[in-house]
Amino acid sequence: MNDAKHTRDIILTVARKVFSDKGFHAASVREITRAAKANLGAVTYHFGSKRDLYLAVLDQILAELSQRIIAAAAQPGSSSQRIASIVHAFFAFFADHPDAPRVLIRELARGEPPPPPLVHHMGRNLEAILSVIREGQARGELRPVQPILAAFSIISQPVWFALARRNIAAVSGVPLDREELTAQVEQHIAELVARGLAPERSGA
Amino acid sequence: MNDAKHTRDIILTVARKVFSDKGFHAASVREITRAAKANLGAVTYHFGSKRDLYLAVLDQILAELSQRIIAAAAQPGSSSQRIASIVHAFFAFFADHPDAPRVLIRELARGEPPPPPLVHHMGRNLEAILSVIREGQARGELRPVQPILAAFSIISQPVWFALARRNIAAVSGVPLDREELTAQVEQHIAELVARGLAPERSGA
């Protein structure tokens, strides 16, 4: 790796942590370059503005999520198995990237239209999931609900769990945020969605 | 209504809007008292600190949600009907209080343990929903999943939809945030959860 690429990667790694801890506004370019042992102009040189650096962080996080979701959706198997793979991909991603929920919540809290990396990567995830739904419906394995609504049920539960797991544990008194119980949440979501999308039984 | 109660209510109404628009840190007591046409000491007099005022706003919002959820859970009917009533209560609440999602997202973005009003009201909501699940399971109308997991599926989808509806519309290109389509999302969630929690059919 050449030095410029190396500096760029270090800045990106440091910025991800600082943005996650403090949010976009409170994070300073000076703090990021200092922690990256780079000069103050390095952010401008490698990324452009502080906003561009933030978008690069968001792009990196969401690209990793997309890779996993698209790979999961491409697995062979029954519709139930493929839905379980997608739900698992969300859980595995958030387990490996504990900083990701905070960045996503802070992005949501901005209350502005979603930025290009979010629209791009979430759009790709959605397309991959919609393909699984449509194929399952074509095979008669899933009932003919609107695919976008089925996709919403698959995505919303793992994402909300990742974002609110600590609050859910605090409110319920059940430590659902602990790893051994998280696996049960994952399994529950996959099973509930698969059953909820199953076709009518004949004679029902 | 006496003058003191009147002033308190106006401050609460104004503070709710300012906190929703700007978030806790950016909101100023001066701005709130000025908009409420009260003197600068009125927040201290009626609430204590700015943080106490914020907690009063959160308490007001969540108390309204609790009332609706608890009333919905107390409805008679089949488990499917009661689940549909609960899902509807979430949607009706968010439709009537378009500022609520932003306050809740900003609260989540703080990344600190949930404050007492949130734990109190969400705890009451959860208890009401758990009762519906347990009664449905006792009657054999719902399969014996862990009640907390069933409750999670009922709560997570309407809440995530309220918080992320604009992003979901932007990513999908489907205007699910428009009222006529929101009703379809509500119906889908209620149906998916009811089917997902339905007991095994005999002979299955």
Side-chain angles (χ1 to χ4, degrees):
Chain A
M1 194 180 333
N2 62 41
D3 278 1
K5 174 83 168 65
H6 183 66
T7 303
R8 189 184 186 282
D9 286 353
I10 290 176
I11 291 173
L12 203 54
T13 303
V14 169
R16 179 161 165 171
K17 176 158 180 16
V18 175
F19 285 132
S20 165
D21 290 347
K22 301 198 160 182
F24 177 74
H25 288 296
S28 81
V29 169
R30 183 176 298 274
E31 178 183 7
I32 291 167
T33 50
R34 188 178 294 159
K37 295 188 171 40
N39 66 60
L40 190 57
V43 164
T44 309
Y45 177 79
H46 288 285
F47 296 93
S49 64
K50 176 180 158 189
R51 174 79 185 150
D52 292 326
L53 172 58
Y54 172 77
L55 291 177
V57 166
L58 201 61
D59 186 66
Q60 187 191 52
I61 292 172
L62 293 169
E64 289 171 26
L65 176 60
S66 270
Q67 278 176 7
R68 289 179 191 239
I69 300 298
I70 291 167
Q75 296 279 317
S78 70
S79 296
S80 296
Q81 289 167 335
R82 299 174 83 192
I83 288 169
S85 294
I86 294 166
V87 170
H88 178 71
F90 278 108
F91 275 80
F93 169 77
F94 285 117
D96 289 347
H97 299 288
D99 61 337
R102 281 208 81 180
V103 175
L104 297 178
I105 292 168
R106 286 181 179 280
E107 181 50 43
L108 205 59
R110 287 173 63 245
E112 286 167 34
L118 194 148
V119 173
H120 172 70
H121 291 296
M122 294 307 288
R124 291 179 69 210
N125 290 345
L126 182 61
E127 265 316 309
I129 295 169
L130 288 173
S131 295
V132 170
I133 307 289
R134 290 195 192 104
E135 284 173 37
Q137 291 178 334
R139 288 192 222 154
E141 290 177 1
L142 301 176
R143 63 188 171 94
V145 300
Q146 279 190 52
I148 182 75
L149 297 178
F152 169 78
S153 291
I154 294 172
I155 298 167
S156 61
Q157 296 182 80
V159 171
W160 178 243
F161 184 72
L163 270 52
R165 54 193 289 171
R166 283 187 198 156
N167 281 14
I168 292 166
V171 167
S172 67
V174 182
L176 289 177
D177 53 339
R178 286 200 203 140
E179 202 177 332
E180 63 272 24
L181 292 185
T182 297
Q184 290 182 33
V185 179
E186 180 195 318
Q187 198 186 336
H188 163 76
I189 294 170
E191 189 168 356
L192 180 114
V193 174
R195 285 172 179 254
L197 295 177
E200 310 281 352
R201 308 262 177 94
S202 55
Chain B
M1 196 181 328
N2 62 40
D3 278 0
K5 174 84 168 67
H6 183 64
T7 302
R8 189 185 186 283
D9 286 354
I10 290 177
I11 291 173
L12 204 53
T13 304
V14 169
R16 179 162 166 169
K17 176 157 179 21
V18 175
F19 285 132
S20 165
D21 290 347
K22 302 198 160 183
F24 177 74
H25 288 294
S28 81
V29 168
R30 183 177 297 275
E31 177 183 7
I32 291 167
T33 50
R34 187 179 295 157
K37 295 190 172 40
N39 66 59
L40 190 57
V43 164
T44 310
Y45 176 79
H46 287 286
F47 297 93
S49 64
K50 176 179 156 190
R51 173 81 184 150
D52 292 327
L53 173 58
Y54 172 77
L55 292 178
V57 165
L58 201 59
D59 186 67
Q60 187 191 52
I61 291 173
L62 292 169
E64 289 172 27
L65 176 59
S66 270
Q67 278 176 7
R68 290 179 191 237
I69 299 298
I70 291 166
Q75 296 279 316
S78 69
S79 295
S80 296
Q81 288 166 336
R82 298 174 84 193
I83 289 170
S85 294
I86 293 166
V87 170
H88 178 71
F90 278 108
F91 274 81
F93 168 77
F94 286 116
D96 289 347
H97 299 289
D99 62 337
R102 281 208 83 180
V103 175
L104 297 178
I105 293 168
R106 287 181 178 281
E107 182 50 42
L108 205 60
R110 286 173 62 246
E112 286 167 34
L118 193 147
V119 174
H120 172 71
H121 291 296
M122 292 308 287
R124 292 179 69 210
N125 290 345
L126 182 61
E127 264 316 308
I129 295 169
L130 288 173
S131 295
V132 170
I133 307 288
R134 290 194 193 104
E135 284 174 38
Q137 290 179 335
R139 287 191 222 155
E141 289 176 1
L142 301 177
R143 62 189 172 95
V145 299
Q146 279 190 52
I148 181 73
L149 296 178
F152 168 77
S153 290
I154 294 172
I155 297 167
S156 61
Q157 296 181 80
V159 171
W160 178 243
F161 185 73
L163 270 52
R165 54 194 289 170
R166 283 186 198 156
N167 281 13
I168 292 167
V171 167
S172 67
V174 183
L176 289 177
D177 54 338
R178 288 201 203 137
E179 203 177 330
E180 64 273 23
L181 291 185
T182 296
Q184 290 181 33
V185 179
E186 180 195 318
Q187 198 187 335
H188 163 76
I189 294 170
E191 189 168 357
L192 181 114
V193 173
R195 286 172 177 253
L197 295 177
E200 310 281 351
R201 308 263 178 92
S202 55

